[in-house]
Amino acid sequence: MPLSIPDHQLEFLSKKQLMGNWRIRRKAHPLYLQACRFFSCTLIDRTGMLDCGLPFRIIDPIGTLETGTKSFDRICEERAASIVAQSTGRRITVLWSGGIDSTVALIALRNCLGELGEKHRLHVLLSKESITEFPGFFRDEIDGRLDYSRMQTNIYDAIRPEDINVTGEHGDQLFGSDKLKYAVQTGQAFRPYPDVLFYYISRKLGTTKHSESLIRYLQPQVDAAPVAIRTYYDYLWWMNFSLKWQYVSLRLRYGLDPGKYELGDNLIHFFRAPDFQAWSLANPDQKIRRAWPSYKFIAKEFIHRHYPNEDYLLYKEKEQSLKEVIVRSGSMNWKKILYGR
């Protein structure tokens, strides 16, 4: 059955639903569709500035945020303590990919539970790719030290809905975007965004036809930023932070087959907390230095303090976190679902 246009507000649409269903596509603003193509996902504007033509309901509005003064380490510790407190004695499963974000979450939760003498409640769900990505951490900190299981099929068959399941989602939204790698390597990321934006939009869309119109369409959303947006790095970080946040919040939950089980309050994204968002707004200098391996350096320094590894600290780069391939029937039919980043 083709997906009809809902009468109520939407929380989420997959890119396939947005682009593949003519009823929804016809209702959407044409430049909104071009913006979704540029950013490679369904965009949901948390500032409320863009006319997208679709009735999205915002679940984490930006207007309620303030810039923060807490350190990254303190927020990690407080976030872990909050998750442990709300778990009410249940098992806490960390979806660990071996990447930076999920490793931060795992260390913070391990430390908190260890201080309480409850490390036995921590479970690590991983894949063979997780071990390959950070083999030393698996060998020294997980294997023989923490309870863990290895995914054999896909994430939905491995998750236990009775657990508190914690992901490393929203790390990229706090720090920038993996789409910045080429621009950082060439130095273009730190130029004023009006000087390079036309080039990058045209390059991604494969044409200059919509570039100027798309830049004008997105400008009110840029102007709504509570912090200064100057460079192309700032620009893509802000777009990721304000337009992709809700999609990332819900993609794992909406990828589940209807009727299998519910992923409600027992699915927690470690970095979704307001304090992390406030930190991101207040600390543009702590997201990257100049070279691409320094992306998320503050998070890598957190890891290094608890698991010293010079190579990981200095050279670990953001990797694609689409770890598993899932083929599903029905209107969603997602072929790739993010795992643990």
Side-chain angles (χ1 to χ4, degrees):
M1 287 290 291
L3 186 70
S4 61
I5 299 172
D7 296 326
H8 58 280
Q9 288 187 309
L10 293 164
E11 286 186 343
F12 179 87
L13 278 176
S14 71
K15 186 179 178 183
K16 182 172 182 178
Q17 287 174 314
L18 175 65
M19 299 298 185
N21 187 280
W22 67 268
R23 291 181 177 86
I24 290 180
R25 195 171 64 249
R26 184 177 62 181
K27 197 172 182 66
H29 192 295
L31 288 173
Y32 168 74
L33 294 177
Q34 294 298 329
C36 293
R37 291 187 177 100
F38 176 63
F39 292 103
S40 302
C41 75
T42 301
L43 305 177
I44 302 175
D45 178 20
R46 297 204 287 156
T47 70
M49 296 301 297
L50 295 183
D51 173 18
C52 68
L54 298 172
F56 286 113
R57 181 178 75 84
I58 309 303
I59 62 174
D60 290 330
I62 284 181
T64 60
L65 295 176
E66 298 179 0
T67 56
T69 58
K70 294 180 182 179
S71 70
F72 184 82
D73 282 30
R74 180 182 172 188
I75 299 170
C76 288
E77 293 165 1
E78 291 181 354
R79 178 59 165 165
S82 174
I83 292 171
V84 169
Q86 76 181 81
S87 68
T88 60
R90 284 184 286 171
R91 189 171 82 160
I92 298 174
T93 292
V94 177
L95 281 56
W96 184 66
S97 71
I100 298 166
D101 304 329
S102 59
T103 302
V104 168
L106 177 54
I107 288 173
L109 286 162
R110 180 201 63 186
N111 292 350
C112 181
L113 287 165
E115 290 172 1
L116 296 172
E118 298 180 6
K119 197 183 292 186
H120 62 277
R121 290 207 288 124
L122 183 62
H123 178 76
V124 184
L125 178 59
L126 50 81
S127 67
K128 62 181 181 181
E129 293 89 354
S130 310
I131 299 171
T132 300
E133 187 161 344
F134 202 172
F137 190 85
F138 172 77
R139 180 190 65 241
D140 299 332
E141 302 295 323
I142 298 176
D143 194 20
R145 294 175 178 264
L146 298 176
D147 180 48
Y148 75 91
S149 60
R150 180 167 155 176
M151 238 176 14
Q152 300 300 322
T153 54
N154 64 64
I155 194 169
Y156 296 108
D157 292 336
I159 282 180
R160 289 186 12 170
E162 63 271 23
D163 290 355
I164 295 293
N165 296 282
V166 180
T167 82
E169 291 276 49
H170 293 301
D172 267 357
Q173 285 65 53
L174 297 182
F175 284 95
S177 170
D178 59 1
K179 297 181 184 302
L180 281 159
K181 181 175 181 177
Y182 173 77
V184 169
Q185 290 173 331
T186 60
Q188 300 297 301
F190 307 108
R191 294 183 60 191
Y193 76 85
D195 294 351
V196 298
L197 191 54
F198 182 90
Y199 165 76
Y200 281 105
I201 289 177
S202 302
R203 184 171 180 262
K204 177 62 184 292
L205 297 182
T207 177
T208 61
K209 181 178 179 180
H210 304 289
S211 300
E212 290 288 1
S213 298
L214 184 54
I215 290 170
R216 289 193 297 270
Y217 170 76
L218 291 171
Q219 192 59 43
Q221 197 271 345
V222 179
D223 295 338
V227 294
I229 305 299
R230 297 187 177 93
T231 67
Y232 184 58
Y233 192 99
D234 297 336
Y235 187 95
L236 275 198
W237 159 75
W238 172 243
M239 293 300 180
N240 205 6
F241 184 81
S242 60
L243 294 177
K244 195 173 177 180
W245 186 274
Q246 186 158 320
Y247 177 86
V248 171
S249 291
L250 299 175
R251 59 183 165 185
L252 185 57
R253 183 173 299 167
Y254 276 86
L256 183 65
D257 283 341
K260 185 170 185 179
Y261 52 75
E262 291 293 328
L263 283 175
D265 293 339
N266 54 355
L267 176 66
I268 297 175
H269 303 313
F270 188 80
F271 294 103
R272 189 180 171 190
D275 278 350
F276 277 120
Q277 298 181 65
W279 176 88
S280 182
L281 291 170
N283 294 281
D285 60 325
Q286 295 187 36
K287 297 168 185 173
I288 195 169
R289 293 188 174 109
R290 301 294 290 188
W292 183 246
S294 70
Y295 181 49
K296 301 186 180 180
F297 73 89
I298 199 77
K300 292 200 290 181
E301 287 174 351
F302 175 87
I303 295 170
H304 187 72
R305 278 189 284 277
H306 299 279
Y307 179 69
N309 184 307
E310 287 292 326
D311 285 342
Y312 196 90
L313 175 66
L314 298 176
Y315 305 115
K316 169 64 179 172
E317 296 186 8
K318 157 73 180 178
E319 297 185 27
Q320 289 297 319
S321 54
L322 296 175
K323 293 292 186 184
E324 298 298 323
V325 176
I326 302 173
V327 179
R328 297 193 173 276
S329 59
S331 60
M332 291 297 296
N333 194 24
W334 283 20
K335 292 187 177 180
K336 292 181 180 178
I337 297 293
L338 180 138
Y339 170 51
R341 292 284 285 274

